[in-house]
Amino acid sequence: MDKKKLISIIVPCHNEQLNIEQLYSEILSFFPTKLYQLELIYIDDGSSDETLDKIKILSENSNFVKYISFSRNFGHQNALSAGLDLANGVCVISMDADLQHPPELIPKMISKWEEGFQIINSVRIDKNIGFLKKITSRLFYKVLNFISDTKIEPGTADFRLLDKKVVETLKNMPEKHLFLRGLVSWIGFKQEKIEYIANKRMQGKSSYSLKRMVHFAAIGITSFSTKPLKISIYIGVIMAFCAIIYSIYAIYASFFTEKTITGWTSLILTILFIGAIQLIMLGIIGEYLGKLFIENKNRPKYIINESNLK
Ligand code: UDP
Ligand code: MG
């Protein structure tokens, strides 16, 4: 009998001490161990609680549990990226540690993959999701899909299966501001989606504050579109047009009418208005420049402190 193929499951963890073991046992109960060999990689993203200790205990008892631990918190997307870099499987499944991504979908994903799909995305049906999260998430996808050229299905989560070929392609992408949902949609290949109802977070609390989500959204938008730059050009053109008309009037008024220095109000309003527009444009340009600056530094996306891999 030939050797069973290896499938990797990668799990980014940030302060998930209470979820590590339960996720482990749930994955084990759903993973088709008869057909495939499992490699379970936990990525400890700079947790300050017992997460790493819990993972280490698991890895001592079962040799298929691997881990990487970052030197500090590098964020969910970078943790996923580390997992992809280090996974050895013929396909890689990424999922959250908090059991919001139901492990019972794993066999379904695998069978879709066996049918020949290379990317199996999961789409969350909004239930059991906090009100604020629901609203912000919908708004986020609306804005993103309006502005960006890469369309992303609302509710797409970082719970997906990627074929080895896709993983290799992603690994070779040099970008540092990762927005995997966008990249995966952009990348092509044979894609399929599975819908699921998200569970409530098991233990602990979400690491994504509103501020972090806004930041994440900004990366998503500026990573996949240069339309904001173009918007500023349109506004600039319209402004210039208005300015020309107004200056014609101003010249006419000063030569052919008796009015002298009236219009202090209009003057100050104009200055303020133009100043505001300029600031907006500068802000947008700054956003892109900032990204170029960071990309240019070529810093690693993450730093591994310790690991039992390789
Ligand atoms: N996570 C991470 N690094 C972070 C924040 C989160 O690795 O800086 C992990 C977290 O442990 C979980 C997943 O990313 O496994 C999703 O995070 P969370 O549940 O906080 O986000 P939400 O489900 O609220 O979007
Ligand atoms: Mg969660």
Side-chain angles (χ1 to χ4, degrees):
M1 214 184 103
D2 52 10
K3 245 187 105 210
K4 284 190 272 185
K5 282 181 182 161
L6 182 73
I7 291 185
S8 312
I9 298 185
I10 58 175
V11 186
C13 309
H14 179 64
N15 295 345
E16 302 280 5
Q17 55 179 1
L18 299 169
N19 294 321
I20 299 291
E21 274 163 38
Q22 191 175 351
L23 181 74
Y24 167 86
S25 52
E26 289 219 11
I27 287 179
L28 273 194
S29 67
F30 288 106
F31 188 83
T33 24
K34 290 211 176 74
L35 302 170
Y36 295 98
Q37 206 188 324
L38 171 66
E39 169 185 64
L40 177 56
I41 307 180
Y42 286 101
I43 302 106
D44 166 40
D45 183 12
S47 298
S48 51
D49 62 0
E50 313 269 282
T51 301
L52 184 59
D53 303 321
K54 293 265 176 327
I55 300 171
K56 279 184 181 166
I57 295 171
L58 285 184
S59 75
E60 276 157 22
N61 297 327
S62 9
N63 59 2
F64 59 86
V65 174
K66 315 266 171 69
Y67 64 86
I68 317 165
S69 175
F70 288 174
S71 61
R72 63 166 171 84
N73 180 253
F74 279 90
H76 182 204
Q77 298 290 302
N78 290 322
L80 281 174
S81 153
L84 293 178
D85 287 347
L86 295 161
N88 300 302
V90 286
C91 61
V92 180
I93 299 171
S94 57
M95 64 194 298
D96 286 359
D98 57 6
L99 291 151
Q100 283 190 304
H101 297 159
E104 58 261 37
L105 248 61
I106 292 173
K108 277 195 204 159
M109 286 185 162
I110 295 176
S111 63
K112 289 275 180 205
W113 173 74
E114 286 165 343
E115 283 172 29
F117 291 103
Q118 292 162 300
I119 298 177
I120 293 98
N121 287 305
S122 73
V123 177
R124 181 182 74 201
I125 298 171
D126 288 345
K127 248 191 196 178
N128 298 335
I129 298 287
F131 179 72
L132 185 69
K133 182 105 197 173
K134 210 189 276 186
I135 296 287
T136 48
S137 152
R138 280 196 198 154
L139 186 72
F140 167 59
Y141 285 108
K142 277 255 156 62
V143 173
L144 188 67
N145 284 332
F146 175 71
I147 292 180
S148 164
D149 306 321
T150 308
K151 299 284 174 255
I152 301 173
E153 174 110 17
T156 310
D158 282 311
F159 177 30
R160 64 172 75 82
L161 181 151
L162 300 173
D163 183 81
K164 193 174 176 55
K165 215 182 261 174
V166 181
V167 174
E168 289 304 320
T169 315
L170 282 174
K171 276 202 239 179
N172 289 324
M173 302 239 177
E175 57 188 89
K176 298 270 156 34
H177 287 87
L178 273 189
F179 184 67
L180 275 169
R181 282 161 221 196
L183 263 188
V184 166
S185 152
W186 174 87
I187 205 172
F189 291 105
K190 271 191 88 184
Q191 305 210 8
E192 174 64 315
K193 64 172 191 210
I194 298 185
E195 292 187 334
Y196 74 98
I197 296 172
N199 298 318
K200 282 221 169 68
R201 179 173 246 285
M202 274 317 271
Q203 300 283 349
K205 62 178 193 340
S206 170
S207 309
Y208 275 93
S209 59
L210 188 62
K211 192 173 149 218
R212 266 185 105 158
M213 283 199 280
V214 170
H215 179 67
F216 188 54
I219 290 182
I221 290 168
T222 51
S223 296
F224 284 91
S225 168
T226 48
K227 269 191 202 155
L229 273 180
K230 291 194 189 121
I231 292 171
S232 67
I233 294 171
Y234 295 142
I235 296 177
V237 169
I238 293 168
M239 279 303 302
F241 187 70
C242 297
I244 290 168
I245 296 195
Y246 191 73
S247 53
I248 291 172
Y249 164 75
I251 292 166
Y252 168 80
S254 74
F255 280 111
F256 301 104
T257 67
E258 295 296 296
K259 291 180 212 159
T260 45
I261 316 165
T262 45
W264 175 84
T265 326
S266 67
L267 190 66
I268 209 77
L269 280 180
T270 316
I271 291 171
L272 285 179
F273 191 47
I274 295 196
I277 297 288
Q278 280 177 334
L279 280 181
I280 292 169
M281 281 190 210
L282 275 181
I284 293 171
I285 293 169
E287 186 76 13
Y288 283 94
L289 261 187
K291 291 181 76 179
L292 278 180
F293 174 69
I294 301 288
E295 291 297 324
N296 231 352
K297 279 188 197 282
N298 249 335
R299 278 194 192 138
K301 277 181 278 193
Y302 53 83
I303 300 164
I304 293 173
N305 181 26
E306 49 181 309
S307 165
N308 68 347
L309 278 162
K310 292 202 183 116

